[in-house]
């Protein structure tokens, strides 16, 4: 009888051990089934990226079967090129840059609109006496020496009845804030209303900003999610699942902006420390510009792409016309 009881105990222990082993294997198998997806940011982590970090922190990517790695670029031109060549699966880029790249034959595809409206503007101190773009005649405008920014300023000045040839364009690189703060230039182009404008106001400068679409430049998707043609062919379902997780992250940030921002701050880059006050204000500016009522988050409209492509051609930024239908693929239906 005693031996029988001992045998039963051993059998039960064996079953339990096998069960635990199977459970462990199942868990390991589940982890192994997560598909690795890489996305490169447009810049260092800041308020606009909150939804991504929330989706990662809250497990929304895992719910979609994804293991997402968020990378930062060494150069702002890297993300689009690396996505186009498949070095990263996805990247955050700019609508105008996508059009320009396609005109140059770079096989990049835009799959979602991340920020639906322009953040770029022309900024100056109120005391500068510049009431509209035409008043930039005879003034110095600092900019990061990009052909698109130059085209933006030219279009705005001429739309306002001014003579662009009388505007002194000064290459200040990305030192936009010190350039205008120290009066090295009278105004700056290429600065963002959710970053440079917020920082300058915080430092005590009373600033003015001219919106692009008030002066002839089409409103554009400031930030878009891009991938390479080959990557889209191979991973379209995974990219769609990625966007579902980001959408859920965006909803969380809208409903819980403070917690969403806290998650972002916990992921700040050591070389680019974030100011909580600045990022809080930035997020307030961003959220209304990231979506439009009645339009699913991320959905891209053909009309927007056509207007931007036509303007870039007319402004001489691109030499050949491009057809957005060839490089715009929505991962979220209307």
């Amino acid at each position: 009888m005693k031996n029988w009881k001992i045998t039963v105990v051993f059998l039960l222990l064996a079953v339990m051990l096998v069960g635990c082993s199977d459970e462990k294997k199942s868990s390991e198998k589940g982890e192994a089934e997560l598909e690795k997806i890489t996305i490169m940011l447009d810049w260092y982590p800041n308020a606009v990226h909150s939804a991504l970090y929330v989706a990662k922190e809250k497990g929304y990517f895992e719910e979609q079967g994804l293991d997402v790695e968020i990378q930062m670029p060494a150069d702002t031109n890297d993300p689009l090129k690396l996505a186009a060549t498949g070095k990263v699966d996805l990247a955050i880029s700019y609508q105008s840059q996508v059009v320009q790249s396609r005109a140059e034959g770079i096989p990049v595809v835009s799959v979602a609109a991340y920020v639906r409206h322009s953040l770029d503007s022309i900024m100056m101190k109120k005391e500068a006496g510049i009431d509209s773009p035409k008043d930039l005649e005879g003034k110095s405008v600092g900019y990061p020496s990009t052909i698109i920014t130059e085209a933006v300023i030219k279009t705005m000045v001429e739309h306002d009845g001014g003579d662009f040839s009388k505007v002194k364009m000064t290459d200040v690189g990305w030192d936009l804030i010190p350039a205008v703060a120290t009066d090295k230039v009278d105004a700056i182009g290429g600065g963002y209303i959710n970053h440079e404008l917020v920082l300058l106001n915080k430092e005590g400068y009373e600033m003015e900003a001219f919106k692009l679409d008030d002066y002839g430049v089409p409103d554009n998707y400031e930030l878009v999610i891009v991938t390479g043609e080959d990557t889209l062919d191979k991973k379209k379902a995974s990219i769609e699942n990625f966007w579902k997780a980001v959408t859920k992250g965006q909803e969380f940030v809208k409903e819980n902006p403070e917690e969403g921002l806290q998650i972002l701050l916990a992921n700040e880059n050591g070389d680019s420390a974030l100011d909580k006050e600045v990022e809080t204000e930035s997020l307030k500016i961003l959220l209304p510009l990231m979506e439009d009522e009645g339009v699913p988050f991320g959905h891209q409209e053909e009309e927007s792409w056509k207007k931007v492509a036509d303007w870039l051609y007319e402004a001489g930024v691109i030499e050949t016309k491009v057809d957005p239908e060839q490089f715009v693929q929505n991962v979220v239906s209307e």
Side-chain angles (χ1 to χ4, degrees):
M1 185 66 131
K2 186 176 179 183
N3 289 338
W4 177 80
K5 288 181 179 179
I6 291 172
T7 302
V8 171
V9 169
F10 274 113
L11 283 172
L12 287 171
L13 285 171
V15 169
M16 288 173 65
L17 288 171
V18 169
C20 289
S21 176
D22 288 345
E23 211 173 285
K24 184 178 179 183
K25 285 179 182 176
S26 176
S27 175
E28 289 174 353
K29 184 180 178 184
E31 289 177 10
E33 286 175 351
L34 291 179
E35 181 181 358
K36 184 85 168 181
I37 291 283
T38 52
I39 179 166
M40 181 167 282
L41 305 182
D42 54 306
W43 203 21
Y44 65 80
N46 62 86
V48 77
H49 306 123
S50 299
L52 291 169
Y53 284 100
V54 166
K56 189 172 179 66
E57 177 75 19
K58 296 291 184 180
Y60 301 157
F61 288 130
E62 288 186 20
E63 289 175 4
Q64 296 296 331
L66 303 175
D67 175 13
V68 175
E69 179 187 354
I70 302 173
Q71 301 180 3
M72 279 170 289
D75 183 276
T76 54
N77 293 314
D78 288 347
L80 183 144
K81 293 176 181 177
L82 292 175
T85 56
K87 299 293 176 61
V88 295
D89 297 308
L90 298 163
I92 299 178
S93 190
Y94 312 88
Q95 188 176 23
S96 295
Q97 191 178 33
V98 171
V99 174
Q100 186 181 14
S101 297
R102 287 299 303 210
E104 296 170 358
I106 297 174
V108 67
V109 180
S110 180
V111 296
Y114 192 49
V115 178
R116 297 192 68 81
H117 299 282
S118 303
L119 299 175
D120 192 6
S121 68
I122 296 177
M123 300 176 200
M124 71 294 301
K125 294 177 182 176
K126 285 186 178 180
E127 63 194 51
I130 300 170
D131 298 320
S132 71
K134 180 182 178 181
D135 294 335
L136 291 173
E137 288 182 359
K139 304 287 187 181
S140 173
V141 180
Y143 77 122
S145 190
T146 63
I147 187 172
I148 292 176
T149 301
E150 188 169 346
V152 164
I153 296 169
K154 182 176 187 293
T155 297
M156 293 175 74
V157 169
E158 292 180 347
H159 185 275
D160 195 38
D163 184 349
F164 179 69
S165 67
K166 295 180 180 179
V167 178
K168 181 184 177 183
M169 298 298 292
T170 304
D171 180 7
V172 297
W174 290 106
D175 293 327
L176 297 170
I177 291 176
V180 71
T182 61
D183 298 319
K184 179 180 179 180
V185 295
D186 300 298
I188 54 173
Y192 277 7
I193 58 173
N194 68 305
H195 184 69
E196 280 82 3
L197 189 64
V198 173
L199 281 166
L200 284 161
N201 283 330
K202 182 175 185 280
E203 290 174 15
Y205 301 102
E206 282 194 275
M207 303 297 295
E208 293 278 12
F210 300 146
K211 289 177 59 181
L212 275 58
D213 53 315
D214 283 343
Y215 298 97
V217 180
D219 188 22
N220 63 84
Y221 301 147
E222 189 67 58
L223 295 178
V224 292
I225 307 295
V226 302
T227 188
E229 288 181 345
D230 289 343
T231 304
L232 183 61
D233 287 340
K234 296 172 184 175
K235 298 186 176 183
K236 186 176 181 181
S238 299
I239 293 172
E240 289 173 349
N241 289 335
F242 168 87
W243 192 249
K244 289 175 185 175
V246 174
T247 301
K248 191 171 180 179
Q250 181 71 0
E251 287 300 314
F252 181 91
V253 173
K254 287 193 308 184
E255 294 171 9
N256 309 277
E258 289 186 14
E259 186 178 347
L261 200 59
Q262 197 56 49
I263 290 173
L264 168 76
L265 294 172
N267 288 278
E268 68 179 359
N269 177 253
D271 297 326
S272 303
L274 299 176
D275 182 318
K276 184 176 181 180
E277 184 181 342
V278 169
E279 298 308 316
T280 299
E281 182 61 27
S282 177
L283 189 61
K284 286 180 183 177
I285 294 169
L286 283 164
L287 287 176
L289 300 176
M290 295 180 78
E291 297 183 61
D292 281 334
E293 189 175 350
V295 181
F297 179 54
H299 182 75
Q300 305 170 95
E301 295 170 323
E302 183 181 345
E303 183 181 4
S304 173
W305 280 97
K306 188 176 185 309
K307 284 181 178 179
V308 171
D310 288 348
W311 171 73
L312 287 170
Y313 178 74
E314 291 161 7
V317 175
I318 58 177
E319 296 179 356
T320 57
K321 287 191 173 184
V322 295
D323 180 5
E325 287 188 6
Q326 296 180 353
F327 55 88
V328 178
Q329 295 285 331
N330 276 305
V331 293
V332 54
S333 56
E334 191 171 7

